[in-house]
Amino acid sequence: FFQKTLTAVKNWFTLFGWSKGQNPISVPYSLRRDVCKVQMTSSQEKDFKQNLGKDTKTVYDMLFHLSGQFLPGITARQSLPLDPVERMLQLHWQHSTLLAFLKSQGAYLPHVMPEFLLEPDDYKEWIKKQTLKKGDVKNPDICSNEHIFILEDTVFEKMSKRAWTDVLLQVYKVFVLQRVSSCNITDLSSLEGMQNMPRIKSEPLSSNIYSPYERTILTWLNKNYEKNRKTVWKDCQKGEVPPMRWIVNFDRDLLDGLVLATQLAAYCPYLIATHFVRMYTNPRTSEQFLHNCLILVNAMHAVSLAIDIKV
């Protein structure tokens, strides 16, 4: 599940997270690496300056594109010191600023520490610096000394990947999902035949799983499904019109492709005759589910939806 989530996050931010088109990313590697327009590094042999170029896109460019804001104290062209310790300290401060900024916008990231966003070598420098302050700490795989977490290499990589994924998910939540407005959403109770269906409440505290914006999307899914199911499958080839359903989650309720098909049909009704009439309206086997999903993917490709979906 986590790997699928990571793939979805990576694909969305690659396609839509940047100005001037696509920018392929890898999580966490490119996000950790491309933190500055000009990055200064050092080696044992000699000090050198590596110019990543004006076209290098950083996480700060992504945030500016999505939010219209630069982080406090971080400029468009940021450079790092040559000294490894000073570089690590500046990066730790930048990541702290990033997390504080996202939290101020409504992000929920209490489990993500700034050091988890560092490169492995910088993380080791940070541990070395902290342990000098706190005294000697032995070298267990994972240990905690007053909020200092010492992770072995493989554990750190897993933690860093999870931390960056959660940061991107929260960026999506606070800067993309919040644009969804409920002002024009028709009340479910006003739709014919839905008076007896429970409403999805929009109040902030009515769910401990989904945010108000996610519940707005669920409302939209319910509205289009109930409004269009009889139209889409009135001439279906593989069953009868699917029954009314209450859509309350984004996984199990969307597995058979029928709900998503009604969303597409609401905006592209010409896809009904060419694609959706061939769907199973009461799928029971994995083959029938796959059949429906293949038709849905083909329909998306037919209208040139630039989403990298694989079945």
Side-chain angles (χ1 to χ4, degrees), residues 82-117:
L82 273 173
D83 181 77
V85 175
E86 291 181 6
R87 183 180 69 244
M88 174 273 297
L89 291 174
Q90 178 171 321
L91 283 172
H92 192 274
W93 172 80
Q94 289 181 196
H95 294 326
S96 299
T97 303
L98 168 65
L99 294 174
F101 172 73
L102 293 177
K103 291 174 184 177
S104 72
Q105 302 297 314
Y108 186 75
L109 293 164
H111 58 295
V112 176
M113 305 289 188
E115 53 268 25
F116 297 158
L117 305 179

Side-chain angles (χ1 to χ4, degrees), residues 66-270:
L66 295 176
S67 71
Q69 303 178 64
F70 280 114
L71 271 62
I74 298 179
T75 62
R77 290 192 61 82
Q78 194 78 18
S79 62
L80 295 174
L82 273 173
D83 181 77
V85 175
E86 291 181 6
R87 183 180 69 244
M88 174 273 297
L89 291 174
Q90 178 171 321
L91 283 172
H92 192 274
W93 172 80
Q94 289 181 196
H95 294 326
S96 299
T97 303
L98 168 65
L99 294 174
F101 172 73
L102 293 177
K103 291 174 184 177
S104 72
Q105 302 297 314
Y108 186 75
L109 293 164
H111 58 295
V112 176
M113 305 289 188
E115 53 268 25
F116 297 158
L117 305 179
L118 293 169
E119 287 269 28
D121 289 344
D122 291 321
Y123 172 74
K124 292 175 182 176
E125 286 290 342
W126 184 85
I127 290 296
K128 190 184 301 182
K129 183 77 173 176
Q130 298 307 306
T131 52
L132 285 176
K133 293 180 181 178
K134 301 293 183 180
D136 252 348
V137 177
K138 294 186 179 180
N139 189 28
D141 290 345
I142 302 179
C143 72
S144 173
N145 181 16
E146 296 185 17
H147 307 297
I148 300 175
F149 294 92
I150 302 178
L151 311 178
E152 64 173 2
D153 292 348
T154 56
V155 176
F156 172 76
E157 284 295 346
K158 293 178 181 178
M159 183 69 75
S160 183
K161 182 181 291 187
R162 181 60 184 266
W164 275 109
T165 301
D166 289 346
V167 165
L168 292 179
L169 285 169
Q170 292 298 310
V171 166
Y172 182 85
K173 183 184 83 171
V174 299
F175 295 129
V176 180
L177 202 54
Q178 71 168 357
R179 299 174 191 166
V180 178
S181 172
S182 60
C183 296
N184 298 321
I185 298 295
T186 303
D187 192 337
L188 286 178
S189 61
S190 67
L191 294 175
E192 183 180 356
M194 299 192 68
Q195 287 83 354
N196 297 326
M197 180 177 287
R199 290 185 65 246
I200 296 176
K201 297 180 180 180
S202 59
E203 291 79 8
L205 299 180
S206 63
S207 172
N208 64 348
I209 299 175
Y210 293 131
S211 70
Y213 310 112
E214 291 166 318
R215 296 199 296 279
T216 296
I217 294 176
L218 288 174
T219 299
W220 173 68
L221 292 173
N222 276 282
K223 184 191 80 167
N224 279 331
Y225 177 77
E226 185 55 31
K227 184 179 179 181
N228 296 312
R229 63 184 176 90
K230 295 180 181 179
T231 302
V232 174
W233 290 291
K234 65 179 180 180
D235 300 319
C236 60
Q237 302 171 2
K238 298 182 181 293
E240 301 175 346
V241 173
M244 178 189 296
R245 68 169 71 175
W246 189 30
I247 303 151
V248 295
N249 58 63
F250 293 102
D251 43 23
R252 299 188 65 86
D253 289 338
L254 305 184
L255 280 177
D256 59 13
L258 298 177
V259 174
L260 293 177
T262 57
Q263 313 310 309
L264 270 180
Y267 302 96
C268 307
Y270 51 85

Side-chain angles (χ1 to χ4, degrees), residues 36-39 50-58 77:
C36 291
K37 296 286 187 181
V38 178
Q39 179 173 342
Q50 178 186 9
N51 189 339
L52 296 180
K54 63 179 181 180
D55 295 327
T56 299
K57 296 182 179 180
T58 71
R77 290 192 61 82

Side-chain angles (χ1 to χ4, degrees), residues 9-27:
V9 167
K10 182 173 66 174
N11 288 344
W12 192 92
F13 278 92
T14 291
L15 292 169
F16 308 116
W18 313 86
S19 62
K20 300 180 182 178
Q22 302 179 16
N23 180 48
I25 66 169
S26 57
V27 181

